[in-house]
Amino acid sequence: MHLVFIGAHPDDETSSSGTIAKYTANGHEATIVMTTRGGRGHWEIPSEELERIRTKEMESAAKILGAEVIFLDYKDADVPAGDALKEELVDVVRNLKPDIVLTFHPMVWRDDHKRVGQAATEACFKACLPLLETRYLAHRPVPDIYFFGSPMVPVEKDVYIDVSEYMDVKMESFAQHRSQWVKWDIDEDDSTRPLEEIRARMLHRARQYGLESGVEYAEAFMSQYGRKRALDFFPTVR
Amino acid sequence: MHLVFIGAHPDDETSSSGTIAKYTANGHEATIVMTTRGGRGHWEIPSEELERIRTKEMESAAKILGAEVIFLDYKDADVPAGDALKEELVDVVRNLKPDIVLTFHPMVWRDDHKRVGQAATEACFKACLPLLETRYLAHRPVPDIYFFGSPMVPVEKDVYIDVSEYMDVKMESFAQHRSQWVKWDIDEDDSTRPLEEIRARMLHRARQYGLESGVEYAEAFMSQYGRKRALDFFPTVR
Amino acid sequence: MHLVFIGAHPDDETSSSGTIAKYTANGHEATIVMTTRGGRGHWEIPSEELERIRTKEMESAAKILGAEVIFLDYKDADVPAGDALKEELVDVVRNLKPDIVLTFHPMVWRDDHKRVGQAATEACFKACLPLLETRYLAHRPVPDIYFFGSPMVPVEKDVYIDVSEYMDVKMESFAQHRSQWVKWDIDEDDSTRPLEEIRARMLHRARQYGLESGVEYAEAFMSQYGRKRALDFFPTVR
Amino acid sequence: MHLVFIGAHPDDETSSSGTIAKYTANGHEATIVMTTRGGRGHWEIPSEELERIRTKEMESAAKILGAEVIFLDYKDADVPAGDALKEELVDVVRNLKPDIVLTFHPMVWRDDHKRVGQAATEACFKACLPLLETRYLAHRPVPDIYFFGSPMVPVEKDVYIDVSEYMDVKMESFAQHRSQWVKWDIDEDDSTRPLEEIRARMLHRARQYGLESGVEYAEAFMSQYGRKRALDFFPTVR
Amino acid sequence: MHLVFIGAHPDDETSSSGTIAKYTANGHEATIVMTTRGGRGHWEIPSEELERIRTKEMESAAKILGAEVIFLDYKDADVPAGDALKEELVDVVRNLKPDIVLTFHPMVWRDDHKRVGQAATEACFKACLPLLETRYLAHRPVPDIYFFGSPMVPVEKDVYIDVSEYMDVKMESFAQHRSQWVKWDIDEDDSTRPLEEIRARMLHRARQYGLESGVEYAEAFMSQYGRKRALDFFPTVR
Amino acid sequence: MHLVFIGAHPDDETSSSGTIAKYTANGHEATIVMTTRGGRGHWEIPSEELERIRTKEMESAAKILGAEVIFLDYKDADVPAGDALKEELVDVVRNLKPDIVLTFHPMVWRDDHKRVGQAATEACFKACLPLLETRYLAHRPVPDIYFFGSPMVPVEKDVYIDVSEYMDVKMESFAQHRSQWVKWDIDEDDSTRPLEEIRARMLHRARQYGLESGVEYAEAFMSQYGRKRALDFFPTVR
């Protein structure tokens, strides 16, 4: 099984890092595709230097998760409209042959995120068309796609993954993104925010998803089509 | 594992009969609790005779499902308001010790159905209180409750059980309710409706739930609290 | 066609009075069933006298609408829990033989309103059971039920009736409820509110429903089951 | 301003205790009305003794919140159907003259809770009717009612109260309910759960509501009618 | 009356073919506008040959429905972003002068479908602007638009058209798309799927919409703005 | 405090004009940014002349509201796809330094409106990035954004501003858009519609929002993220 995460900026994978770690710990393959190197995610470090720094941070974080990393080299805050990204992702999908794709919901607020989510979703479909000729052969079937992020219109999370045993690796992996500790939330004030505060918020969210789904800690996703799956028996643990 | 179905009229169990059959076929215990004998569900047969007939039909249907039957002897179209039914169901629950209870959603339209759903739901909770003394000892934990029926306000089905292999037994079991073939839908015209037509509608509905959940045929339920369950991995079959 | 309105207090029919007037103006029969005489809907007039006054007001209002009136003589703010009202309404339905019933949605906030809505809805169903013996014979089929009022949980209005030509009669009919002009909205302050202010609000609401449904003035209802009706062609007026 | 909390079992007020403490700390009056003494909320202590214990606990907790307590002496797990509780609450409302009432949403799952919420809501309305004669005079206007609890059908929380400065008193107040520490969640296993675990969950929930509403810690309620309030300016803190 | 269907790939019209057939059978005009010839909808037939084949299939299918066909010659899986398609559709609308337009909901998942739905919706509006000069004069009023397809966020079907008498022509019309029988659902396995299986699913869906709307077979659409239409009387058939 | 309105066509600001007037009347600064001069919003006046006329009308309207106006000179019915408008708005935001931005919801139906709403929303975010170098320095924090308009998928209005005292200025301001009186609603028939009719509809809508939020007249908006704000006390006026 190959799990492919498609995001926009290094550290976007934090939404799903417990799940990624769980897959690799269970013998599956995981690849993180980042469409930019996050060259505008700081207040002072110049973009080029920042890209170098964040590339390294992303590689360290991925290593801890047991995942490969691929960068597509679009520019942060400049993921383009149009079909170029989608065309490129068709070949990424054909090459990586994912069973599962994790990406932004195509209706989230920020353009970088929305465009990555839209392009990734459509690329998964187009990658399966034999008559669409590119460098690689068609990949079938279309992977199952699970979305993270908060859409402009409320969409319910409908798949929760138990990551109780992967919270340490999730935390350690995030800690590699050192350039992002100080100014985590750019909408707020300028004072530095220590790693502990970020960790507390990450713990809170994973615990909240855990409370909603009956485990200690969880990550939550939206399935494409909100598709229900029939069970063999009622989900009871007794 | 003990699955207990709590309904109002013989043939109410048809909503869940594939699931009941699946549980018993897999070595679990199942009991059908009917709060009335359906003495008003006909146009001509007098109530007392009808109760005798439908009791027999219910017993035949349950036998095919591999389930026991218990009747509580309330009157059809007269399940009472108040707490009497609830008190009686507390002892039913304490006696049967269910792991799973299937019953009407407490907000469905018809009083008989609504009152059975409300009483059954509350009885499951009250049955677990040690300081509530009745003929039987407290039963803990509170069983998982799954609802069927169409509430007055839309509530989404969130648990689908694959019954593809139990459609024959579902059909055969329903066929025992011979008194209900001719005038299945009392709101419509008087002409007789052959069993085939009812079967077609049952097949359609199970197929619809199957299409919604990725299998051939399914039955669909609402969980109390709409509770999500965390998974270990994404639900993919590859 | 017989349209039966079942309400709790004289002037409840105002929610539907344009529709009632339209039906009678088109040759249909209409009956207004009031379960109380509104004996507590004032600040000073003693209950018994108030009941006499409001009975007269209701009769005048109904006359203008071309409808009959029946009172059931429960007490205002004391419509009882339990099944007595429902049993009485079964015979009302069997006697009046309605094709359409208008009543409160069974989940509105106030007990008088909720209990009338619940009892009326269930009575329509029970009235059709031949084996339920009462003074009258069973009435079939179950009438179509349309609800007014604001449920505790939002339920969308899904049927709009064009009453543009019946706004005058709607206004004149309401004006008969003279005891209700002064203290229309009991939750607000004590100052008298002239009829003009109430009329303005009634006009506003009918206009709002009109804007929502493409006509000048409308009344809006919720159908039981939120049932859709297939059309022969798309609803276009060209 | 008089804030009246109407609950079913001692410790129900914990849902709102930060808010209660905030009101009393700001010079307002607060009264906690408990319809039972919680005589069935334990596994071993006999009911009568338990009622004495929990009465004391409730009084200590209320004292810390700066609130008065009134008990109505219904039996735990036996709050009755029908109108008796409602009639009693009419006089409670007329006597206490609340500006604001906090109670269970009338559509929550457990009968004790649901019946208290339904009766309290209706009592607030009936208390304002001058022609309804009881021991006390009518109280007007109808208080604003805010609900807590989780209804059977999802209803969004729409009013958040910032209790960041009242978390200590909220915790200390809850700690008085010593009989409830050990077996807090009766649906789960028998092992004792230390106060710390309960506190962690309370903190988590208040923090979650805080995150949803932009403060450190909050309590969340549903307003009757989901009523919006117009503002003078956009809610911005700059 | 002129009904114009605007789709992306030959056989997209199947969603609405019963409705199209009904309109033409009742003396109305119908035109099917296909923005591509479906040149990538197969596993082996080369695109150019496939386009020729599917053009013929589409023409046969349209003939059976009594409708004209127009192709716009965009490429399958390559309907472009930007405004070119919209500009072209403005002239299609101005030329065809539709009263009713059927097209994809602008928020469906696949780019080809979404872009056609977005462009068609906006083109209907722009076509009515006199100051927007193109080859044709402005067409007014803006046609009524009804959508098919499954949006990324649930949108309720709100218009059902009874096609009970047009199921045969719907089936026969679909059967013309011979190139699409074998690999109808490209997300699934490679085995051939006989026409019978596709027909069974089409019948199931039309029957499901029929059950939802009270007729034998129906097609279902979403109106723009979810617009309600006031009725003269309640929709009852008695 | 600086309130910036970003719209597509002169008179779009009418949705928010009472709010704008209220802010300026209270000593705040307000700027109206119009991305086009509305050169296609008429049936006969040629575009260039129309642009000159509507520019003047907009300036008069803004003067009455106490607001500045800026035009961006895109063409009516031709606001482009792609990122050009967004890039331009980044500098508008950096230059104007708004605290609050009012714009179209990014999911409304018409392309001009949708593209303005999308670009304005994203521009507010991008304007705060220091590493994104443009003519102006970064503006932080990201302004609070409130949306008007009707999205393709229902989104609830969640912020109401009381404009009861600004209805006269709202009306007078709208009256300046003389070119828009005659053919206000282009989807309807050709007859002229006097200003009075438009005023009646504006009054109706403001009154409707007022009724929904407990004041005489209100304007209603959607906050980004549907964000709740914790209150200090329950919103009661007593």
Side-chain angles (χ1 to χ4, degrees):
Chain A
M1 188 105 70
H2 192 172
L3 178 81
V4 172
F5 177 97
I6 305 179
H9 315 98
D11 87 0
D12 280 351
E13 84 287 355
T14 307
S15 63
S16 317
S17 56
T19 301
I20 295 170
K22 187 175 194 176
Y23 269 79
T24 61
N26 281 272
H28 299 297
E29 196 179 354
T31 305
I32 293 168
V33 180
M34 280 297 164
T35 48
T36 83
R37 292 174 192 267
R40 278 178 176 132
H42 205 272
W43 306 123
E44 292 167 1
I45 306 172
S47 278
E48 274 190 37
E49 191 186 336
L50 184 59
E51 290 195 344
R52 277 194 301 275
I53 291 170
R54 298 190 70 181
T55 298
K56 288 235 167 69
E57 292 174 353
M58 184 68 251
E59 287 164 350
S60 302
K63 197 171 173 189
I64 288 167
L65 301 176
E68 297 296 310
V69 193
I70 293 171
F71 289 97
L72 296 193
D73 277 322
Y74 290 87
K75 289 299 163 197
D76 184 3
D78 256 335
V79 174
D83 289 336
L85 172 59
K86 176 170 69 179
E87 301 312 331
E88 193 165 350
L89 285 173
V90 167
D91 267 350
V92 168
V93 169
R94 287 180 166 189
N95 185 28
L96 296 179
K97 299 181 178 52
D99 300 280
I100 294 167
V101 166
L102 308 182
T103 192
F104 283 102
H105 192 285
M107 284 169 55
V108 294
W109 286 97
R110 277 189 54 194
D111 276 5
D112 274 14
H113 295 169
K114 179 165 51 186
R115 289 170 181 182
V116 165
Q118 287 176 342
T121 304
E122 182 72 3
C124 287
F125 167 70
K126 291 189 76 169
C128 87
L129 299 176
L131 298 184
L132 179 72
E133 290 175 35
T134 69
R135 282 193 297 157
Y136 297 93
L137 289 179
H139 167 62
R140 299 183 58 216
V142 175
D144 282 318
I145 309 179
Y146 294 93
F147 300 112
F148 55 87
S150 293
M152 290 184 279
V153 166
V155 177
E156 217 173 313
K157 310 283 195 239
D158 60 354
V159 179
Y160 290 73
I161 302 295
D162 182 349
V163 296
S164 304
E165 294 175 26
Y166 299 89
M167 288 306 287
D168 285 347
V169 68
K170 182 182 175 82
M171 290 295 167
E172 189 191 345
S173 171
F174 173 75
Q176 308 308 307
H177 297 289
R178 300 179 65 89
S179 68
Q180 303 302 300
W181 293 0
V182 178
K183 300 275 190 298
W184 171 257
D185 186 347
I186 57 172
D187 295 351
E188 298 193 355
D189 67 283
D190 285 280
S191 63
T192 60
R193 296 174 65 196
L195 186 56
E196 280 321 297
E197 187 179 337
I198 301 172
R199 277 184 168 147
R201 196 174 282 217
M202 285 169 63
L203 270 172
H204 175 88
R205 172 169 293 209
R207 181 71 186 112
Q208 174 67 15
Y209 289 143
L211 285 170
E212 292 173 8
S213 61
V215 296
E216 194 67 14
Y217 293 104
E219 289 172 355
F221 301 88
M222 296 158 275
S223 66
Q224 198 183 13
Y225 313 121
R227 186 177 286 158
K228 303 294 192 303
R229 313 264 177 164
L231 305 173
D232 272 330
F233 295 99
F234 289 109
T236 182
V237 292
R238 291 162 208 183
Chain B
M1 188 104 71
H2 192 172
L3 179 81
V4 172
F5 176 96
I6 305 179
H9 315 98
D11 87 0
D12 280 350
E13 85 286 356
T14 306
S15 63
S16 316
S17 58
T19 300
I20 295 170
K22 188 176 193 175
Y23 268 79
T24 61
N26 281 272
H28 299 297
E29 196 179 356
T31 305
I32 293 168
V33 179
M34 280 297 165
T35 47
T36 83
R37 293 173 192 268
R40 279 180 176 129
H42 206 273
W43 306 122
E44 293 168 2
I45 306 172
S47 278
E48 274 189 39
E49 189 186 337
L50 184 59
E51 291 194 345
R52 277 194 301 276
I53 291 171
R54 297 190 70 180
T55 298
K56 287 234 167 69
E57 291 173 353
M58 184 68 252
E59 286 164 351
S60 302
K63 196 169 175 192
I64 288 168
L65 301 176
E68 298 295 311
V69 193
I70 293 170
F71 289 96
L72 296 194
D73 277 322
Y74 289 88
K75 287 300 164 197
D76 185 3
D78 255 335
V79 173
D83 289 336
L85 172 59
K86 177 169 70 179
E87 301 312 331
E88 191 164 352
L89 285 172
V90 167
D91 267 350
V92 168
V93 170
R94 287 181 165 188
N95 184 28
L96 295 179
K97 299 181 179 52
D99 300 280
I100 293 168
V101 166
L102 308 182
T103 192
F104 284 102
H105 193 285
M107 283 169 55
V108 294
W109 286 98
R110 276 189 54 194
D111 276 4
D112 273 14
H113 294 170
K114 180 165 51 186
R115 288 170 180 181
V116 165
Q118 286 176 343
T121 304
E122 182 73 2
C124 286
F125 167 70
K126 290 190 76 170
C128 87
L129 298 177
L131 298 184
L132 179 71
E133 289 174 37
T134 68
R135 281 193 298 157
Y136 297 93
L137 288 180
H139 167 64
R140 298 185 55 219
V142 175
D144 282 318
I145 308 179
Y146 295 93
F147 300 113
F148 55 86
S150 293
M152 288 184 281
V153 166
V155 176
E156 217 173 312
K157 310 282 196 238
D158 61 353
V159 178
Y160 291 73
I161 302 296
D162 182 351
V163 296
S164 303
E165 295 175 25
Y166 299 89
M167 288 307 288
D168 285 347
V169 67
K170 183 182 174 80
M171 290 297 167
E172 189 192 345
S173 171
F174 172 75
Q176 308 310 306
H177 296 288
R178 300 178 66 89
S179 67
Q180 304 301 299
W181 293 1
V182 178
K183 300 273 191 297
W184 170 257
D185 187 346
I186 55 171
D187 294 351
E188 298 192 355
D189 67 283
D190 286 281
S191 64
T192 59
R193 295 175 64 199
L195 186 56
E196 279 322 297
E197 188 179 338
I198 300 173
R199 276 183 168 149
R201 196 175 281 217
M202 285 170 62
L203 270 173
H204 176 88
R205 173 170 291 210
R207 181 72 187 112
Q208 175 66 15
Y209 289 143
L211 285 170
E212 292 173 9
S213 62
V215 296
E216 195 67 15
Y217 294 104
E219 289 172 353
F221 302 88
M222 296 158 276
S223 66
Q224 198 183 14
Y225 314 121
R227 187 178 286 159
K228 302 293 191 304
R229 313 262 177 164
L231 305 172
D232 273 329
F233 295 100
F234 290 109
T236 181
V237 293
R238 291 162 207 183
Chain C
M1 188 104 70
H2 191 172
L3 179 81
V4 172
F5 176 97
I6 305 179
H9 316 99
D11 87 0
D12 280 350
E13 85 286 356
T14 307
S15 64
S16 316
S17 56
T19 300
I20 295 170
K22 189 175 192 175
Y23 269 79
T24 60
N26 281 271
H28 298 297
E29 196 179 354
T31 305
I32 294 167
V33 180
M34 279 299 164
T35 47
T36 83
R37 292 173 192 267
R40 278 178 177 132
H42 205 272
W43 306 122
E44 292 168 3
I45 306 171
S47 277
E48 274 189 39
E49 189 185 338
L50 184 60
E51 290 194 345
R52 278 194 301 275
I53 291 170
R54 296 190 72 181
T55 298
K56 288 237 167 67
E57 292 173 354
M58 184 67 251
E59 287 165 351
S60 301
K63 196 170 176 192
I64 288 167
L65 300 176
E68 298 295 311
V69 193
I70 294 171
F71 290 96
L72 296 193
D73 276 322
Y74 289 88
K75 288 299 163 195
D76 185 4
D78 256 335
V79 174
D83 289 336
L85 172 60
K86 177 170 69 180
E87 302 312 330
E88 191 165 351
L89 285 172
V90 167
D91 267 349
V92 167
V93 169
R94 287 180 166 189
N95 184 29
L96 296 180
K97 300 180 178 53
D99 300 280
I100 294 167
V101 166
L102 308 182
T103 191
F104 284 102
H105 192 285
M107 284 169 54
V108 294
W109 286 98
R110 278 188 53 193
D111 276 4
D112 273 14
H113 295 169
K114 180 165 50 187
R115 289 171 180 180
V116 165
Q118 287 176 342
T121 304
E122 182 72 3
C124 287
F125 167 70
K126 290 189 76 169
C128 86
L129 299 177
L131 298 184
L132 179 71
E133 289 174 35
T134 67
R135 281 193 298 156
Y136 297 93
L137 289 179
H139 168 64
R140 298 185 56 219
V142 175
D144 282 318
I145 308 180
Y146 294 93
F147 299 112
F148 54 86
S150 294
M152 289 184 281
V153 167
V155 176
E156 217 174 312
K157 310 282 195 240
D158 61 354
V159 178
Y160 291 73
I161 302 296
D162 182 350
V163 295
S164 303
E165 295 176 25
Y166 299 89
M167 288 305 288
D168 285 347
V169 68
K170 183 181 175 79
M171 289 296 166
E172 189 192 344
S173 169
F174 173 75
Q176 308 309 307
H177 296 290
R178 301 179 64 90
S179 67
Q180 303 302 300
W181 293 2
V182 179
K183 299 275 190 297
W184 171 256
D185 186 347
I186 55 171
D187 293 352
E188 297 193 357
D189 66 284
D190 285 280
S191 63
T192 59
R193 295 175 65 199
L195 186 55
E196 280 321 299
E197 188 179 337
I198 300 173
R199 277 182 168 149
R201 196 175 281 218
M202 285 169 62
L203 270 173
H204 176 88
R205 173 170 292 210
R207 181 71 187 112
Q208 175 66 16
Y209 289 143
L211 285 170
E212 292 173 8
S213 62
V215 296
E216 195 67 15
Y217 293 104
E219 289 172 353
F221 302 87
M222 295 157 275
S223 66
Q224 198 183 13
Y225 314 121
R227 186 178 285 159
K228 303 292 190 304
R229 314 263 177 164
L231 305 173
D232 273 330
F233 295 100
F234 289 110
T236 181
V237 292
R238 289 160 208 185
Chain D
M1 189 106 70
H2 192 172
L3 179 81
V4 172
F5 176 97
I6 305 179
H9 316 98
D11 87 0
D12 280 350
E13 84 287 356
T14 306
S15 63
S16 317
S17 56
T19 300
I20 295 170
K22 188 175 193 175
Y23 269 80
T24 60
N26 281 271
H28 298 296
E29 195 179 356
T31 305
I32 293 167
V33 180
M34 280 299 165
T35 47
T36 83
R37 292 173 193 269
R40 280 180 176 129
H42 205 272
W43 306 122
E44 292 167 2
I45 306 171
S47 277
E48 275 190 37
E49 190 185 337
L50 183 59
E51 290 195 343
R52 277 194 301 274
I53 291 171
R54 298 190 71 182
T55 297
K56 288 237 166 68
E57 292 174 353
M58 184 68 252
E59 286 165 350
S60 301
K63 196 169 175 192
I64 288 167
L65 301 176
E68 298 296 310
V69 193
I70 293 171
F71 289 97
L72 295 194
D73 277 322
Y74 289 88
K75 288 300 163 196
D76 186 2
D78 257 335
V79 173
D83 289 336
L85 172 59
K86 176 170 70 180
E87 301 312 331
E88 192 165 351
L89 285 172
V90 168
D91 268 349
V92 168
V93 169
R94 287 181 165 189
N95 184 28
L96 295 180
K97 300 180 178 53
D99 300 281
I100 295 168
V101 166
L102 308 182
T103 191
F104 284 102
H105 192 285
M107 284 169 55
V108 294
W109 285 97
R110 278 189 53 194
D111 276 5
D112 273 14
H113 294 169
K114 180 166 50 187
R115 289 170 180 180
V116 165
Q118 287 176 343
T121 304
E122 182 73 3
C124 286
F125 167 71
K126 290 189 76 169
C128 87
L129 299 176
L131 298 184
L132 179 71
E133 289 174 36
T134 67
R135 279 194 299 156
Y136 297 93
L137 289 179
H139 168 63
R140 299 184 56 219
V142 175
D144 281 318
I145 307 180
Y146 294 94
F147 300 112
F148 55 86
S150 293
M152 289 183 280
V153 166
V155 177
E156 218 173 312
K157 310 282 196 239
D158 60 354
V159 178
Y160 290 74
I161 302 295
D162 181 351
V163 296
S164 304
E165 294 176 26
Y166 299 89
M167 288 306 288
D168 285 347
V169 67
K170 181 181 176 81
M171 290 295 168
E172 190 192 345
S173 170
F174 172 75
Q176 307 309 307
H177 297 288
R178 300 178 66 90
S179 68
Q180 303 301 299
W181 293 0
V182 179
K183 300 274 191 297
W184 171 257
D185 187 347
I186 54 171
D187 295 351
E188 297 193 356
D189 68 282
D190 286 282
S191 63
T192 59
R193 295 174 65 198
L195 187 55
E196 280 322 298
E197 188 180 337
I198 300 173
R199 276 182 169 149
R201 196 175 280 217
M202 285 170 63
L203 270 172
H204 176 88
R205 173 171 291 210
R207 180 73 187 110
Q208 175 66 15
Y209 289 143
L211 285 170
E212 292 173 8
S213 61
V215 296
E216 195 67 15
Y217 293 104
E219 289 172 353
F221 302 88
M222 295 157 276
S223 66
Q224 198 183 13
Y225 314 121
R227 186 178 285 158
K228 303 293 190 303
R229 313 263 178 165
L231 305 172
D232 272 330
F233 295 100
F234 289 110
T236 182
V237 293
R238 291 162 206 183
Chain E
M1 189 105 71
H2 192 172
L3 178 81
V4 172
F5 177 95
I6 305 179
H9 316 99
D11 87 2
D12 280 350
E13 84 286 356
T14 307
S15 62
S16 317
S17 57
T19 300
I20 295 171
K22 188 175 193 175
Y23 269 80
T24 61
N26 281 270
H28 298 296
E29 196 179 355
T31 305
I32 293 168
V33 180
M34 281 298 165
T35 47
T36 84
R37 292 173 193 267
R40 279 180 176 130
H42 205 271
W43 306 121
E44 292 168 1
I45 306 172
S47 277
E48 275 190 36
E49 191 187 335
L50 184 58
E51 291 195 343
R52 276 194 302 274
I53 292 170
R54 297 190 72 181
T55 298
K56 288 236 166 70
E57 292 174 354
M58 184 69 251
E59 287 165 350
S60 301
K63 197 170 173 190
I64 288 167
L65 300 177
E68 298 296 310
V69 192
I70 293 170
F71 290 96
L72 296 194
D73 277 322
Y74 289 87
K75 288 299 163 197
D76 185 3
D78 255 336
V79 174
D83 289 336
L85 172 60
K86 176 169 70 180
E87 301 312 331
E88 193 166 350
L89 284 173
V90 167
D91 267 350
V92 168
V93 168
R94 287 181 166 189
N95 184 28
L96 295 180
K97 299 181 179 52
D99 300 280
I100 294 167
V101 167
L102 308 183
T103 192
F104 283 102
H105 192 285
M107 284 169 55
V108 293
W109 286 97
R110 278 189 54 194
D111 276 4
D112 273 14
H113 295 169
K114 179 165 52 186
R115 289 170 181 181
V116 165
Q118 287 176 343
T121 304
E122 182 73 3
C124 287
F125 167 71
K126 290 189 76 168
C128 85
L129 298 177
L131 299 184
L132 179 71
E133 290 174 35
T134 69
R135 281 193 297 157
Y136 298 93
L137 289 179
H139 168 63
R140 298 182 58 218
V142 175
D144 282 317
I145 308 179
Y146 295 93
F147 300 112
F148 54 87
S150 293
M152 289 184 280
V153 166
V155 176
E156 217 173 313
K157 310 282 195 239
D158 60 354
V159 178
Y160 290 73
I161 303 295
D162 181 351
V163 296
S164 303
E165 295 176 26
Y166 299 89
M167 288 306 288
D168 285 347
V169 67
K170 182 181 175 81
M171 290 295 168
E172 188 191 347
S173 170
F174 173 75
Q176 307 309 306
H177 297 288
R178 300 180 65 89
S179 67
Q180 303 301 300
W181 294 0
V182 179
K183 298 277 190 297
W184 171 257
D185 186 347
I186 55 172
D187 294 351
E188 297 193 356
D189 67 282
D190 286 280
S191 62
T192 59
R193 296 173 66 197
L195 186 56
E196 279 322 298
E197 187 179 337
I198 300 173
R199 277 184 169 148
R201 196 174 281 217
M202 286 169 62
L203 270 172
H204 176 88
R205 172 170 292 209
R207 180 73 187 110
Q208 174 66 17
Y209 289 143
L211 285 170
E212 292 173 10
S213 62
V215 296
E216 194 67 14
Y217 294 104
E219 289 172 354
F221 302 88
M222 295 158 275
S223 65
Q224 197 182 13
Y225 315 120
R227 186 177 285 157
K228 303 294 191 302
R229 313 263 176 163
L231 305 173
D232 273 329
F233 295 98
F234 290 109
T236 182
V237 292
R238 290 161 208 183
Chain F
M1 189 104 70
H2 192 173
L3 178 82
V4 172
F5 177 96
I6 305 179
H9 316 99
D11 87 0
D12 279 351
E13 84 287 355
T14 306
S15 64
S16 317
S17 56
T19 300
I20 295 170
K22 188 175 192 175
Y23 268 80
T24 60
N26 281 271
H28 299 296
E29 196 178 356
T31 305
I32 293 167
V33 180
M34 281 298 165
T35 47
T36 83
R37 292 173 193 267
R40 279 179 176 131
H42 205 272
W43 306 122
E44 292 167 3
I45 306 172
S47 277
E48 275 190 37
E49 190 185 336
L50 183 60
E51 290 195 344
R52 276 194 301 275
I53 291 170
R54 297 190 71 180
T55 298
K56 287 235 167 67
E57 291 174 353
M58 184 68 251
E59 288 165 349
S60 301
K63 196 170 175 190
I64 287 167
L65 300 176
E68 297 297 310
V69 192
I70 292 171
F71 290 96
L72 297 193
D73 277 322
Y74 289 88
K75 288 300 162 194
D76 185 3
D78 255 336
V79 173
D83 290 337
L85 172 59
K86 176 170 70 179
E87 301 313 330
E88 193 165 350
L89 285 173
V90 167
D91 268 350
V92 168
V93 169
R94 286 181 166 190
N95 184 28
L96 295 180
K97 299 180 179 53
D99 300 280
I100 293 167
V101 166
L102 308 182
T103 192
F104 283 102
H105 192 284
M107 284 169 55
V108 293
W109 286 98
R110 277 188 55 194
D111 275 4
D112 274 14
H113 294 170
K114 179 165 51 187
R115 289 170 179 180
V116 165
Q118 287 176 344
T121 304
E122 182 72 3
C124 287
F125 167 71
K126 291 189 75 169
C128 86
L129 299 176
L131 298 184
L132 178 71
E133 289 174 37
T134 69
R135 280 193 299 156
Y136 297 93
L137 289 178
H139 167 63
R140 299 183 58 218
V142 175
D144 282 318
I145 308 180
Y146 295 94
F147 300 112
F148 55 86
S150 293
M152 288 184 281
V153 167
V155 176
E156 217 174 313
K157 310 283 196 239
D158 61 354
V159 178
Y160 290 74
I161 303 296
D162 182 350
V163 295
S164 303
E165 294 176 26
Y166 298 89
M167 288 305 288
D168 285 347
V169 67
K170 182 182 175 80
M171 290 295 167
E172 188 192 346
S173 171
F174 173 75
Q176 306 309 305
H177 296 289
R178 301 180 64 91
S179 67
Q180 303 302 299
W181 293 1
V182 179
K183 299 276 190 295
W184 171 259
D185 186 348
I186 56 173
D187 294 351
E188 298 194 356
D189 67 283
D190 286 280
S191 62
T192 59
R193 296 174 65 197
L195 186 56
E196 280 321 298
E197 187 179 339
I198 301 173
R199 278 184 167 148
R201 196 175 281 217
M202 286 170 61
L203 270 172
H204 176 88
R205 172 170 292 209
R207 181 72 186 111
Q208 174 67 16
Y209 289 144
L211 285 170
E212 292 174 8
S213 62
V215 295
E216 194 68 13
Y217 293 104
E219 289 172 353
F221 302 87
M222 296 158 275
S223 65
Q224 199 183 12
Y225 313 122
R227 186 177 285 155
K228 302 294 191 302
R229 314 263 176 164
L231 305 173
D232 272 330
F233 295 100
F234 290 109
T236 181
V237 291
R238 289 162 208 182

